């Protein structure tokens, strides 16, 4: 029995020595290159994820192409639906263009009518500015008119008092302008 115990006790010594050797080599390897190993593992993980998503997308495209090649009716239906959608959008665009053209024609007609009224009032010897705007207000009183009605002069407040004239030099208060001294500058 003693002989059996000797090889048993020798084995654990070899195993512990092997474990110590493994611990020392792995420990020194991690101590020296640990951060490089961690970053490379993270980089490999990210690259693997990107490649796997691209491979999935590639497989899906191949399956779609195969399905489209097998079913030409589906392709024809898609093309017809696309053509119908384009036609509908074109019709809507054409309708909007027609509305815009009609609106421009109305505006041009209104301008032409105003010019005629101004010309008539000038021929009669009246003030064309006042007369041209009064009929327009009477004809179409409503928010649909594009022009803004100007305020009357009586509603406006004067910016300065009635007796103030900036060019006269009087009534300016405490501020007055004085010319500078003549001669060379005294700096320096």
């Amino acid at each position: 029995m003693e002989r059996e115990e000797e090889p048993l006790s020798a084995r654990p010594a070899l195993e512990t020595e092997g474990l110590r050797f493994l611990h020392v080599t792995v420990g020194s390897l991690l101590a020296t290159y640990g951060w490089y190993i961690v970053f490379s593992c993270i980089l490999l993980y990210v690259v693997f994820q990107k490649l796997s998503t691209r491979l999935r997308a590639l497989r899906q495209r191949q399956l779609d192409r195969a399905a489209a090649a097998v079913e030409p009716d589906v392709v024809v239906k898609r093309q017809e639906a696309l053509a119908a959608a384009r036609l509908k959008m074109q019709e809507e665009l054409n309708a909007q263009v027609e509305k815009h053209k009609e609106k421009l024609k109305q505006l041009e007609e209104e301008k032409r009518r105003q010019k005629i009224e101004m010309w008539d009032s000038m021929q009669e010897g009246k003030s064309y500015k006042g007369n041209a705007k009064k009929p327009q207000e009477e004809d179409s009183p409503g928010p649909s008119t594009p022009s803004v009605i100007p305020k009357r002069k009586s509603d406006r407040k004067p910016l300065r008092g009635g007796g103030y004239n900036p060019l006269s030099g009087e009534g300016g208060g405490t501020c007055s302008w004085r010319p500078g001294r003549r001669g060379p500058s005294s700096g320096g």
Side-chain angles (χ1 to χ4, degrees), residues 139-170:
D139 291 343
S140 58
S144 64
T145 58
S147 62
V148 177
I149 300 171
K151 291 184 177 179
R152 296 180 190 137
K153 288 189 176 182
S154 62
D155 293 344
R156 297 181 187 165
K157 291 170 71 176
L159 296 175
R160 302 260 185 205
Y164 175 74
N165 185 0
L167 299 176
S168 68
E170 297 177 2

PDB file of all heavy atoms in Angstrom, residues 139-170:
ATOM      1  N   ASP A 139     -67.320  97.000 -53.480  1.00  0.00           N
ATOM      2  CA  ASP A 139     -67.665  95.819 -54.268  1.00  0.00           C
ATOM      3  C   ASP A 139     -67.460  94.525 -53.482  1.00  0.00           C
ATOM      4  O   ASP A 139     -68.289  93.632 -53.537  1.00  0.00           O
ATOM      5  CB  ASP A 139     -66.819  95.761 -55.553  1.00  0.00           C
ATOM      6  CG  ASP A 139     -67.211  96.863 -56.529  1.00  0.00           C
ATOM      7  OD1 ASP A 139     -68.307  97.422 -56.356  1.00  0.00           O
ATOM      8  OD2 ASP A 139     -66.411  97.135 -57.440  1.00  0.00           O
ATOM      9  N   SER A 140     -66.354  94.444 -52.819  1.00  0.00           N
ATOM     10  CA  SER A 140     -66.058  93.179 -52.128  1.00  0.00           C
ATOM     11  C   SER A 140     -65.626  93.438 -50.687  1.00  0.00           C
ATOM     12  O   SER A 140     -64.445  93.386 -50.370  1.00  0.00           O
ATOM     13  CB  SER A 140     -64.961  92.421 -52.881  1.00  0.00           C
ATOM     14  OG  SER A 140     -63.803  93.229 -52.974  1.00  0.00           O
ATOM     15  N   PRO A 141     -66.569  93.757 -49.803  1.00  0.00           N
ATOM     16  CA  PRO A 141     -66.188  93.943 -48.401  1.00  0.00           C
ATOM     17  C   PRO A 141     -66.090  92.582 -47.711  1.00  0.00           C
ATOM     18  O   PRO A 141     -67.099  91.920 -47.498  1.00  0.00           O
ATOM     19  CB  PRO A 141     -67.316  94.786 -47.824  1.00  0.00           C
ATOM     20  CG  PRO A 141     -68.508  94.403 -48.648  1.00  0.00           C
ATOM     21  CD  PRO A 141     -67.961  94.082 -50.021  1.00  0.00           C
ATOM     22  N   GLY A 142     -64.939  92.151 -47.399  1.00  0.00           N
ATOM     23  CA  GLY A 142     -64.784  90.853 -46.755  1.00  0.00           C
ATOM     24  C   GLY A 142     -63.319  90.511 -46.578  1.00  0.00           C
ATOM     25  O   GLY A 142     -62.443  91.190 -47.098  1.00  0.00           O
ATOM     26  N   PRO A 143     -63.072  89.438 -45.880  1.00  0.00           N
ATOM     27  CA  PRO A 143     -61.686  89.051 -45.645  1.00  0.00           C
ATOM     28  C   PRO A 143     -61.024  88.442 -46.866  1.00  0.00           C
ATOM     29  O   PRO A 143     -59.855  88.146 -46.855  1.00  0.00           O
ATOM     30  CB  PRO A 143     -61.796  88.009 -44.516  1.00  0.00           C
ATOM     31  CG  PRO A 143     -63.161  87.440 -44.645  1.00  0.00           C
ATOM     32  CD  PRO A 143     -64.007  88.574 -45.182  1.00  0.00           C
ATOM     33  N   SER A 144     -61.789  88.253 -47.965  1.00  0.00           N
ATOM     34  CA  SER A 144     -61.223  87.621 -49.147  1.00  0.00           C
ATOM     35  C   SER A 144     -60.343  88.573 -49.953  1.00  0.00           C
ATOM     36  O   SER A 144     -59.649  88.146 -50.837  1.00  0.00           O
ATOM     37  CB  SER A 144     -62.335  87.058 -50.030  1.00  0.00           C
ATOM     38  OG  SER A 144     -63.133  88.121 -50.498  1.00  0.00           O
ATOM     39  N   THR A 145     -60.403  89.898 -49.661  1.00  0.00           N
ATOM     40  CA  THR A 145     -59.582  90.831 -50.412  1.00  0.00           C
ATOM     41  C   THR A 145     -58.140  90.707 -49.972  1.00  0.00           C
ATOM     42  O   THR A 145     -57.842  90.711 -48.780  1.00  0.00           O
ATOM     43  CB  THR A 145     -60.056  92.285 -50.200  1.00  0.00           C
ATOM     44  OG1 THR A 145     -60.011  92.576 -48.810  1.00  0.00           O
ATOM     45  CG2 THR A 145     -61.458  92.497 -50.735  1.00  0.00           C
ATOM     46  N   PRO A 146     -57.211  90.577 -50.918  1.00  0.00           N
ATOM     47  CA  PRO A 146     -55.812  90.377 -50.566  1.00  0.00           C
ATOM     48  C   PRO A 146     -55.123  91.647 -50.100  1.00  0.00           C
ATOM     49  O   PRO A 146     -54.122  91.595 -49.423  1.00  0.00           O
ATOM     50  CB  PRO A 146     -55.189  89.849 -51.856  1.00  0.00           C
ATOM     51  CG  PRO A 146     -56.056  90.374 -52.948  1.00  0.00           C
ATOM     52  CD  PRO A 146     -57.430  90.487 -52.349  1.00  0.00           C
ATOM     53  N   SER A 147     -55.666  92.840 -50.487  1.00  0.00           N
ATOM     54  CA  SER A 147     -54.984  94.075 -50.114  1.00  0.00           C
ATOM     55  C   SER A 147     -55.365  94.482 -48.690  1.00  0.00           C
ATOM     56  O   SER A 147     -56.453  94.214 -48.210  1.00  0.00           O
ATOM     57  CB  SER A 147     -55.340  95.189 -51.087  1.00  0.00           C
ATOM     58  OG  SER A 147     -56.738  95.435 -51.018  1.00  0.00           O
ATOM     59  N   VAL A 148     -54.436  95.149 -48.023  1.00  0.00           N
ATOM     60  CA  VAL A 148     -54.644  95.616 -46.661  1.00  0.00           C
ATOM     61  C   VAL A 148     -55.146  97.050 -46.729  1.00  0.00           C
ATOM     62  O   VAL A 148     -54.612  97.874 -47.468  1.00  0.00           O
ATOM     63  CB  VAL A 148     -53.317  95.545 -45.863  1.00  0.00           C
ATOM     64  CG1 VAL A 148     -53.510  96.093 -44.478  1.00  0.00           C
ATOM     65  CG2 VAL A 148     -52.805  94.132 -45.831  1.00  0.00           C
ATOM     66  N   ILE A 149     -56.167  97.348 -45.956  1.00  0.00           N
ATOM     67  CA  ILE A 149     -56.740  98.688 -45.954  1.00  0.00           C
ATOM     68  C   ILE A 149     -55.831  99.586 -45.114  1.00  0.00           C
ATOM     69  O   ILE A 149     -55.598  99.305 -43.937  1.00  0.00           O
ATOM     70  CB  ILE A 149     -58.172  98.680 -45.376  1.00  0.00           C
ATOM     71  CG1 ILE A 149     -59.067  97.763 -46.217  1.00  0.00           C
ATOM     72  CG2 ILE A 149     -58.730 100.087 -45.317  1.00  0.00           C
ATOM     73  CD1 ILE A 149     -60.415  97.514 -45.611  1.00  0.00           C
ATOM     74  N   PRO A 150     -55.283 100.666 -45.706  1.00  0.00           N
ATOM     75  CA  PRO A 150     -54.383 101.530 -44.931  1.00  0.00           C
ATOM     76  C   PRO A 150     -55.154 102.366 -43.918  1.00  0.00           C
ATOM     77  O   PRO A 150     -56.330 102.675 -44.102  1.00  0.00           O
ATOM     78  CB  PRO A 150     -53.725 102.399 -45.994  1.00  0.00           C
ATOM     79  CG  PRO A 150     -54.696 102.422 -47.121  1.00  0.00           C
ATOM     80  CD  PRO A 150     -55.405 101.098 -47.079  1.00  0.00           C
ATOM     81  N   LYS A 151     -54.474 102.742 -42.836  1.00  0.00           N
ATOM     82  CA  LYS A 151     -55.109 103.578 -41.813  1.00  0.00           C
ATOM     83  C   LYS A 151     -55.237 105.010 -42.335  1.00  0.00           C
ATOM     84  O   LYS A 151     -54.432 105.466 -43.136  1.00  0.00           O
ATOM     85  CB  LYS A 151     -54.258 103.581 -40.542  1.00  0.00           C
ATOM     86  CG  LYS A 151     -54.245 102.276 -39.822  1.00  0.00           C
ATOM     87  CD  LYS A 151     -53.457 102.419 -38.541  1.00  0.00           C
ATOM     88  CE  LYS A 151     -53.471 101.146 -37.743  1.00  0.00           C
ATOM     89  NZ  LYS A 151     -52.689 101.281 -36.517  1.00  0.00           N
ATOM     90  N   ARG A 152     -56.213 105.705 -41.824  1.00  0.00           N
ATOM     91  CA  ARG A 152     -56.384 107.104 -42.190  1.00  0.00           C
ATOM     92  C   ARG A 152     -55.342 107.939 -41.453  1.00  0.00           C
ATOM     93  O   ARG A 152     -54.889 107.591 -40.372  1.00  0.00           O
ATOM     94  CB  ARG A 152     -57.787 107.574 -41.816  1.00  0.00           C
ATOM     95  CG  ARG A 152     -58.856 106.851 -42.579  1.00  0.00           C
ATOM     96  CD  ARG A 152     -60.219 107.365 -42.174  1.00  0.00           C
ATOM     97  NE  ARG A 152     -61.239 106.503 -42.736  1.00  0.00           N
ATOM     98  CZ  ARG A 152     -62.293 106.096 -42.085  1.00  0.00           C
ATOM     99  NH1 ARG A 152     -62.495 106.465 -40.844  1.00  0.00           N
ATOM    100  NH2 ARG A 152     -63.178 105.327 -42.680  1.00  0.00           N
ATOM    101  N   LYS A 153     -55.029 109.073 -42.033  1.00  0.00           N
ATOM    102  CA  LYS A 153     -54.014 109.933 -41.418  1.00  0.00           C
ATOM    103  C   LYS A 153     -54.504 110.513 -40.107  1.00  0.00           C
ATOM    104  O   LYS A 153     -53.717 110.808 -39.222  1.00  0.00           O
ATOM    105  CB  LYS A 153     -53.609 111.043 -42.374  1.00  0.00           C
ATOM    106  CG  LYS A 153     -52.786 110.545 -43.526  1.00  0.00           C
ATOM    107  CD  LYS A 153     -52.233 111.687 -44.311  1.00  0.00           C
ATOM    108  CE  LYS A 153     -51.333 111.163 -45.416  1.00  0.00           C
ATOM    109  NZ  LYS A 153     -50.736 112.244 -46.179  1.00  0.00           N
ATOM    110  N   SER A 154     -55.788 110.682 -39.942  1.00  0.00           N
ATOM    111  CA  SER A 154     -56.311 111.273 -38.711  1.00  0.00           C
ATOM    112  C   SER A 154     -56.145 110.321 -37.526  1.00  0.00           C
ATOM    113  O   SER A 154     -56.091 110.763 -36.384  1.00  0.00           O
ATOM    114  CB  SER A 154     -57.778 111.662 -38.889  1.00  0.00           C
ATOM    115  OG  SER A 154     -58.537 110.486 -39.160  1.00  0.00           O
ATOM    116  N   ASP A 155     -56.071 109.007 -37.795  1.00  0.00           N
ATOM    117  CA  ASP A 155     -55.921 108.041 -36.714  1.00  0.00           C
ATOM    118  C   ASP A 155     -54.488 107.966 -36.200  1.00  0.00           C
ATOM    119  O   ASP A 155     -54.254 107.536 -35.081  1.00  0.00           O
ATOM    120  CB  ASP A 155     -56.340 106.648 -37.191  1.00  0.00           C
ATOM    121  CG  ASP A 155     -57.832 106.578 -37.482  1.00  0.00           C
ATOM    122  OD1 ASP A 155     -58.554 107.489 -37.034  1.00  0.00           O
ATOM    123  OD2 ASP A 155     -58.251 105.610 -38.147  1.00  0.00           O
ATOM    124  N   ARG A 156     -53.543 108.403 -36.985  1.00  0.00           N
ATOM    125  CA  ARG A 156     -52.140 108.296 -36.602  1.00  0.00           C
ATOM    126  C   ARG A 156     -51.753 109.421 -35.656  1.00  0.00           C
ATOM    127  O   ARG A 156     -52.198 110.546 -35.780  1.00  0.00           O
ATOM    128  CB  ARG A 156     -51.248 108.357 -37.836  1.00  0.00           C
ATOM    129  CG  ARG A 156     -51.457 107.225 -38.787  1.00  0.00           C
ATOM    130  CD  ARG A 156     -50.523 107.355 -39.959  1.00  0.00           C
ATOM    131  NE  ARG A 156     -50.815 106.357 -40.974  1.00  0.00           N
ATOM    132  CZ  ARG A 156     -50.361 106.403 -42.199  1.00  0.00           C
ATOM    133  NH1 ARG A 156     -49.587 107.407 -42.579  1.00  0.00           N
ATOM    134  NH2 ARG A 156     -50.663 105.459 -43.058  1.00  0.00           N
ATOM    135  N   LYS A 157     -50.833 109.082 -34.721  1.00  0.00           N
ATOM    136  CA  LYS A 157     -50.319 110.097 -33.808  1.00  0.00           C
ATOM    137  C   LYS A 157     -49.053 110.687 -34.417  1.00  0.00           C
ATOM    138  O   LYS A 157     -48.266 109.968 -35.025  1.00  0.00           O
ATOM    139  CB  LYS A 157     -49.970 109.453 -32.465  1.00  0.00           C
ATOM    140  CG  LYS A 157     -51.184 108.978 -31.683  1.00  0.00           C
ATOM    141  CD  LYS A 157     -50.805 108.155 -30.491  1.00  0.00           C
ATOM    142  CE  LYS A 157     -50.169 108.935 -29.393  1.00  0.00           C
ATOM    143  NZ  LYS A 157     -49.901 108.121 -28.201  1.00  0.00           N
ATOM    144  N   PRO A 158     -48.824 111.945 -34.237  1.00  0.00           N
ATOM    145  CA  PRO A 158     -47.579 112.514 -34.745  1.00  0.00           C
ATOM    146  C   PRO A 158     -46.400 112.017 -33.900  1.00  0.00           C
ATOM    147  O   PRO A 158     -46.533 111.779 -32.699  1.00  0.00           O
ATOM    148  CB  PRO A 158     -47.771 114.027 -34.591  1.00  0.00           C
ATOM    149  CG  PRO A 158     -48.815 114.179 -33.563  1.00  0.00           C
ATOM    150  CD  PRO A 158     -49.690 112.945 -33.653  1.00  0.00           C
ATOM    151  N   LEU A 159     -45.258 111.854 -34.553  1.00  0.00           N
ATOM    152  CA  LEU A 159     -44.087 111.368 -33.836  1.00  0.00           C
ATOM    153  C   LEU A 159     -43.512 112.431 -32.905  1.00  0.00           C
ATOM    154  O   LEU A 159     -42.998 112.121 -31.836  1.00  0.00           O
ATOM    155  CB  LEU A 159     -43.018 110.907 -34.838  1.00  0.00           C
ATOM    156  CG  LEU A 159     -43.405 109.723 -35.705  1.00  0.00           C
ATOM    157  CD1 LEU A 159     -42.314 109.440 -36.726  1.00  0.00           C
ATOM    158  CD2 LEU A 159     -43.626 108.494 -34.845  1.00  0.00           C
ATOM    159  N   ARG A 160     -43.540 113.673 -33.290  1.00  0.00           N
ATOM    160  CA  ARG A 160     -43.010 114.784 -32.495  1.00  0.00           C
ATOM    161  C   ARG A 160     -44.122 115.806 -32.279  1.00  0.00           C
ATOM    162  O   ARG A 160     -45.184 115.746 -32.884  1.00  0.00           O
ATOM    163  CB  ARG A 160     -41.858 115.465 -33.229  1.00  0.00           C
ATOM    164  CG  ARG A 160     -40.737 114.543 -33.559  1.00  0.00           C
ATOM    165  CD  ARG A 160     -39.660 114.725 -32.561  1.00  0.00           C
ATOM    166  NE  ARG A 160     -38.517 113.908 -32.957  1.00  0.00           N
ATOM    167  CZ  ARG A 160     -37.630 113.469 -32.125  1.00  0.00           C
ATOM    168  NH1 ARG A 160     -37.727 113.760 -30.860  1.00  0.00           N
ATOM    169  NH2 ARG A 160     -36.624 112.749 -32.534  1.00  0.00           N
ATOM    170  N   GLY A 161     -43.841 116.740 -31.433  1.00  0.00           N
ATOM    171  CA  GLY A 161     -44.794 117.825 -31.231  1.00  0.00           C
ATOM    172  C   GLY A 161     -44.913 118.658 -32.484  1.00  0.00           C
ATOM    173  O   GLY A 161     -44.032 118.653 -33.356  1.00  0.00           O
ATOM    174  N   GLY A 162     -45.944 119.440 -32.596  1.00  0.00           N
ATOM    175  CA  GLY A 162     -46.200 120.209 -33.803  1.00  0.00           C
ATOM    176  C   GLY A 162     -45.157 121.281 -34.063  1.00  0.00           C
ATOM    177  O   GLY A 162     -44.876 121.623 -35.201  1.00  0.00           O
ATOM    178  N   GLY A 163     -44.534 121.835 -33.024  1.00  0.00           N
ATOM    179  CA  GLY A 163     -43.605 122.934 -33.221  1.00  0.00           C
ATOM    180  C   GLY A 163     -42.166 122.491 -33.377  1.00  0.00           C
ATOM    181  O   GLY A 163     -41.275 123.332 -33.490  1.00  0.00           O
ATOM    182  N   TYR A 164     -41.893 121.252 -33.393  1.00  0.00           N
ATOM    183  CA  TYR A 164     -40.502 120.797 -33.449  1.00  0.00           C
ATOM    184  C   TYR A 164     -40.041 120.640 -34.881  1.00  0.00           C
ATOM    185  O   TYR A 164     -40.713 120.023 -35.697  1.00  0.00           O
ATOM    186  CB  TYR A 164     -40.358 119.451 -32.729  1.00  0.00           C
ATOM    187  CG  TYR A 164     -38.976 118.856 -32.836  1.00  0.00           C
ATOM    188  CD1 TYR A 164     -37.922 119.379 -32.121  1.00  0.00           C
ATOM    189  CD2 TYR A 164     -38.744 117.778 -33.675  1.00  0.00           C
ATOM    190  CE1 TYR A 164     -36.658 118.850 -32.228  1.00  0.00           C
ATOM    191  CE2 TYR A 164     -37.475 117.234 -33.801  1.00  0.00           C
ATOM    192  CZ  TYR A 164     -36.425 117.773 -33.069  1.00  0.00           C
ATOM    193  OH  TYR A 164     -35.169 117.249 -33.174  1.00  0.00           O
ATOM    194  N   ASN A 165     -38.891 121.205 -35.193  1.00  0.00           N
ATOM    195  CA  ASN A 165     -38.267 121.043 -36.499  1.00  0.00           C
ATOM    196  C   ASN A 165     -36.794 120.750 -36.249  1.00  0.00           C
ATOM    197  O   ASN A 165     -36.080 121.603 -35.728  1.00  0.00           O
ATOM    198  CB  ASN A 165     -38.431 122.295 -37.343  1.00  0.00           C
ATOM    199  CG  ASN A 165     -37.901 122.100 -38.749  1.00  0.00           C
ATOM    200  OD1 ASN A 165     -37.417 121.031 -39.106  1.00  0.00           O
ATOM    201  ND2 ASN A 165     -38.001 123.156 -39.559  1.00  0.00           N
ATOM    202  N   PRO A 166     -36.298 119.577 -36.610  1.00  0.00           N
ATOM    203  CA  PRO A 166     -34.913 119.247 -36.296  1.00  0.00           C
ATOM    204  C   PRO A 166     -33.899 120.072 -37.075  1.00  0.00           C
ATOM    205  O   PRO A 166     -32.758 120.207 -36.661  1.00  0.00           O
ATOM    206  CB  PRO A 166     -34.804 117.773 -36.665  1.00  0.00           C
ATOM    207  CG  PRO A 166     -35.905 117.519 -37.606  1.00  0.00           C
ATOM    208  CD  PRO A 166     -36.991 118.480 -37.246  1.00  0.00           C
ATOM    209  N   LEU A 167     -34.303 120.663 -38.188  1.00  0.00           N
ATOM    210  CA  LEU A 167     -33.366 121.434 -38.984  1.00  0.00           C
ATOM    211  C   LEU A 167     -33.241 122.879 -38.506  1.00  0.00           C
ATOM    212  O   LEU A 167     -32.326 123.594 -38.905  1.00  0.00           O
ATOM    213  CB  LEU A 167     -33.785 121.415 -40.455  1.00  0.00           C
ATOM    214  CG  LEU A 167     -33.827 120.031 -41.096  1.00  0.00           C
ATOM    215  CD1 LEU A 167     -34.337 120.136 -42.514  1.00  0.00           C
ATOM    216  CD2 LEU A 167     -32.451 119.396 -41.063  1.00  0.00           C
ATOM    217  N   SER A 168     -34.145 123.335 -37.672  1.00  0.00           N
ATOM    218  CA  SER A 168     -34.108 124.729 -37.249  1.00  0.00           C
ATOM    219  C   SER A 168     -33.094 124.971 -36.152  1.00  0.00           C
ATOM    220  O   SER A 168     -32.618 126.085 -35.984  1.00  0.00           O
ATOM    221  CB  SER A 168     -35.499 125.168 -36.773  1.00  0.00           C
ATOM    222  OG  SER A 168     -35.815 124.473 -35.574  1.00  0.00           O
ATOM    223  N   GLY A 169     -32.780 123.996 -35.351  1.00  0.00           N
ATOM    224  CA  GLY A 169     -31.822 124.176 -34.276  1.00  0.00           C
ATOM    225  C   GLY A 169     -32.455 124.643 -32.984  1.00  0.00           C
ATOM    226  O   GLY A 169     -31.785 124.786 -31.973  1.00  0.00           O
ATOM    227  N   GLU A 170     -33.737 124.908 -33.009  1.00  0.00           N
ATOM    228  CA  GLU A 170     -34.433 125.351 -31.800  1.00  0.00           C
ATOM    229  C   GLU A 170     -35.298 124.237 -31.255  1.00  0.00           C
ATOM    230  O   GLU A 170     -35.738 123.364 -31.969  1.00  0.00           O
ATOM    231  CB  GLU A 170     -35.325 126.550 -32.133  1.00  0.00           C
ATOM    232  CG  GLU A 170     -34.558 127.745 -32.615  1.00  0.00           C
ATOM    233  CD  GLU A 170     -35.485 128.872 -32.992  1.00  0.00           C
ATOM    234  OE1 GLU A 170     -36.709 128.726 -32.848  1.00  0.00           O
ATOM    235  OE2 GLU A 170     -34.984 129.899 -33.436  1.00  0.00           O
TER     236      GLU A 170
END
